[in-house]
Amino acid sequence: FLYYNPEFAKALINFIFYYSESGKWTKPFAAHDVGTYPLANGQTYGGDMPVEECGNMLILTGAICKMEGKADYALKHWDVLTLWTDYLVENGLHPANQLCTDDFAGHWAGNCNLAIKAIMGIAGYAEIAKMMGKDDVYEKYNAKAKEMAAAWEKETKVKDHYELAYGAGSKTWSQ
């Protein structure tokens, strides 16, 4: 989608932006969905996935801007992107007990894969800010992403790999 036509990638996430910016979604993180097709009448998934979805939205928005060579798309959604990034700064390194894409694992606190997604989302936001010429914003969030990445590596490394959740031990593997 990104390579062929970034408009297709935008179509994959526009509805989350619209829902969040409409005031109908009042939480400080991105919704998982907006309803069950064909009705967009509110999130229907079995629980919030705050770190997962903020990371997804920030990473894909950054990729869209990079493919287009400009940050116009992100500028339209800057306020909510900032809200989600700040949520990840506060909650992303050590995610609370929540679902993630690994549904089979159920709710898990301290999911290291989610922490990496948060770090990448923050880094993506920093790159978007750089494209916009917001150098102070870029410096702040790029430094935060690097700081969190260093902490993540230190806290999750067990022998020759990284654990799936903080404190889960050497018999789990993070991707």
Side-chain angles (χ1 to χ4, degrees):
F1 293 121
L2 281 168
Y3 183 74
Y4 181 69
N5 186 344
E7 292 300 316
F8 291 142
K10 291 176 190 176
L12 296 171
I13 61 175
N14 278 337
F15 63 96
I16 296 293
F17 279 125
Y18 298 152
Y19 186 41
S20 295
E21 294 162 349
S22 74
K24 293 179 193 277
W25 180 257
T26 59
K27 298 177 182 179
F29 49 82
H32 176 73
D33 63 75
V34 299
T36 303
Y37 182 83
L39 302 176
N41 57 359
Q43 181 171 283
T44 59
Y45 197 71
D48 293 329
M49 297 170 70
V51 172
E52 176 95 24
E53 301 310 345
C54 288
N56 289 342
M57 292 296 289
L58 287 158
I59 292 166
L60 186 52
T61 301
I64 289 167
C65 292
K66 186 169 180 134
M67 284 299 297
E68 291 186 326
K70 58 186 179 182
D72 294 358
Y73 181 67
L75 186 58
K76 288 191 251 181
H77 306 291
W78 190 246
D79 290 345
V80 76
L81 290 169
T82 301
L83 177 71
W84 295 339
T85 303
D86 288 339
Y87 181 87
L88 293 180
V89 166
E90 292 297 317
N91 302 284
L93 184 56
H94 298 99
N97 190 27
Q98 60 194 266
L99 286 171
C100 75
T101 299
D102 302 329
D103 286 359
F104 62 86
H107 286 75
W108 246 26
N111 184 311
C112 295
N113 288 344
L114 281 182
I116 283 291
K117 186 170 278 192
I119 294 164
M120 293 305 297
I122 294 164
Y125 177 83
E127 289 298 318
I128 295 166
K130 187 176 184 179
M131 291 179 80
M132 292 178 171
K134 296 176 181 280
D135 294 337
D136 56 331
V137 175
Y138 166 76
E139 292 296 332
K140 174 184 175 182
Y141 288 96
N142 188 56
K144 188 62 175 176
K146 286 180 178 183
E147 172 192 318
M148 290 171 71
W152 180 91
E153 185 169 24
K154 182 179 178 189
E155 293 179 40
T156 64
K157 182 125 176 129
V158 286
K159 299 179 184 172
D160 63 344
H161 67 279
Y162 301 97
E163 59 192 349
L164 185 57
Y166 296 104
S170 63
K171 294 185 181 190
T172 68
W173 293 75
S174 176
Q175 298 299 314

